[in-house]
Each structure stands twice: as structure tokens, then as C-alpha cells.
Amino acid sequence: GAVVSQHPSWVICKSGTSVKIECRSLDFQATTMFWYRQFPKQSLMLMATSNEGSKATYEQGVEKDKFLINHASLTLSTLTVTSAHPEDSSFYICSASVLAGKNTGELFFGEGSRLTVL
Amino acid sequence: LAKTTQPISMDSYEGQEVNITCSHNNIATNDYITWYQQFPSQGPRFIIQGYKTKVTNEVASLFIPADRKSSTLSLPRVSLSDTAVYYCLVGDPGTYKYIFGTGTRLKVLA
């Protein structure tokens, strides 16, 4: 199956700093990527939809200036958590739709990135 | 948005068959139903996908009735390593956003 890779898998940072998480589709082109966050023992919450070459679409309640998403190429999307605070500590997961534009529901997920803000 | 409803948790014993049902009453005509498995601190992993009737692969079967308002994931002869959270997803027809429900936390006991 298609492979999606995230980096870093875990990161610890100080409060007030910014952290960038990369999401790459290794063997396919992803027109659309999705970013989720997940708190312990909870489900994945969709944060934003990232389309190559255009601005991301954010879900209600997600601050676009806080969570900067860039999808500059068909194989790379980045999520930058700006001025991170302890409440931003979470597990961030990206996914990509191989058949973008067709509603098959098939998504491939990255391994996730655990962010801890001190 | 197509929402899903699943049991919060289930327990089973090794070697038993486990059936997890998902309700998706407002599924759209073009939506597919996909099930994922997630272990702690890992991204979800694809299990199986279907549109209608029955689909089977090497790890699971998926049963979808004619009205497609529900689906049942069947795991034959579970083992301890199948302890995980299982999510069913249906694709959002207008925006291609995929909303996760609560998932079902399956615990397999020895």
C-alpha cells in the first residue's frame, strides 16, 4: 500500500517556540492531505485539509494562525505549531488520499508525531 | 457530514470471532466504508474497505446490508495482538473530509 511518512516522530519543545512537522507521501502523489490531532484515549480530530498549491481549509475552532499548514508540493505537507503552549501537547497525525477527487474513503496515515510542550 | 456510531468498547477472548457494528445513517450514494485499526501512539492502519454486500481479505470481512446504513467488521479468531481501537469511516461527499467517530476499543483476553 501507499506509504506516508511523518517527521519527527516525537518532539519536545519549550513554551513559546515553534515546531514544524513534516508529512511526506513516499510512493505516490497526494493532491490532498489531512491533519489530525489526538489526545490520550480520544478519537482523531480533523484539524485541516491541505491541498497542494492552495490555502488549507481549517475546521471550526482550529486557529489557522496557530497551526500553519503548507502544501507546497504533491509529496510534502507541513504543519507548524507556532508559539506552542503546554495545551498544544498532543499526537499529530497526517493522512493522504491516493485517489483525490474520488470518494473511495481510502486514506493512508503517517506514523504520527508526538509533541510535548514544556 | 456522514457521522458514524460504534460501541465504545468490547472484550473478547483469544480464538473467538469478533463482530463490530458501525451505524452510518446518512451515508451518501458515492461513499465507501473503510475500517481502520489503531495501536497506541501509532497512526491508523487500513483494514478493509467496501461499498456494499460483503468484502473479505486476509485479515477481516466486512458486511454491508442493502441500505448501507450500517456495516459490520468481522475479525475471525482474534489474538492478543488484535487489542486496539477500531474505527469506521465514511467519506464526506462534498468536501472529502473524513470524520472519525469514537471508535471501538477492543480488548482481547487470554
Side-chain angles (χ1 to χ4, degrees):
Chain A
V3 178
V4 175
S5 178
Q6 277 185 247
H7 178 81
S9 55
W10 59 269
V11 58
I12 301 173
C13 70
K14 292 182 179 180
S15 185
T17 60
S18 295
V19 173
K20 179 184 286 188
I21 301 170
E22 294 186 346
C23 178
R24 294 181 183 275
S25 55
L26 298 185
D27 52 0
F28 67 98
Q29 293 184 329
T31 307
T32 305
M33 288 185 172
F34 304 88
W35 286 95
Y36 299 82
R37 68 187 297 182
Q38 185 176 34
F39 293 108
K41 296 194 182 299
Q42 293 188 24
S43 183
L44 284 75
M45 183 191 78
L46 181 65
M47 298 175 66
T49 303
S50 167
N51 294 295
E52 185 267 337
S54 63
K55 292 183 178 180
T57 303
Y58 291 81
E59 293 301 299
Q60 190 173 11
V62 178
E63 301 175 58
K64 62 181 181 180
D65 295 330
K66 173 107 178 131
F67 299 98
L68 301 179
I69 293 173
N70 182 277
H71 193 158
S73 76
L74 287 173
T75 59
L76 174 64
S77 177
T78 61
L79 167 68
T80 301
V81 183
T82 63
S83 186
H85 291 284
E87 58 266 29
D88 298 323
S89 298
S90 187
F91 192 53
Y92 293 87
I93 309 171
C94 72
S95 69
S97 172
V98 176
L99 299 176
K102 294 186 179 181
N103 227 349
T104 67
E106 186 166 4
L107 283 177
F108 294 90
F109 288 83
E111 312 94 324
S113 300
R114 184 163 301 283
L115 170 64
T116 301
V117 185
L118 302 177
Chain B
L1 297 176
K3 302 235 186 274
T4 62
T5 304
Q6 303 172 233
I8 296 295
S9 64
M10 293 178 70
D11 287 348
S12 181
Y13 289 94
E14 278 190 296
Q16 290 188 332
E17 177 184 79
V18 172
N19 296 308
I20 305 174
T21 297
C22 178
S23 172
H24 28 81
N25 290 318
N26 58 342
I27 187 171
T29 302
N30 295 328
D31 281 347
Y32 279 65
I33 300 154
T34 314
W35 283 78
Y36 290 84
Q37 175 192 56
Q38 186 184 29
F39 296 112
S41 297
Q42 294 185 25
R45 187 174 68 178
F46 174 86
I47 301 174
I48 197 167
Q49 181 184 78
Y51 183 80
K52 61 180 178 181
T53 64
K54 177 183 176 182
V55 180
T56 298
N57 62 20
E58 61 275 10
V59 297
S61 294
L62 178 60
F63 300 91
I64 305 169
D67 66 5
R68 303 200 327 122
K69 293 184 182 299
S70 66
S71 59
T72 298
L73 173 72
S74 181
L75 304 173
R77 297 180 298 282
V78 294
S79 63
L80 295 176
S81 62
D82 292 318
T83 294
V85 180
Y86 293 82
Y87 296 97
C88 80
L89 271 67
V90 295
D92 182 83
T95 62
Y96 307 108
K97 293 188 301 189
Y98 305 96
I99 309 300
F100 280 76
T102 57
T104 298
R105 193 173 296 273
L106 173 66
K107 186 174 182 180
V108 180
L109 306 170

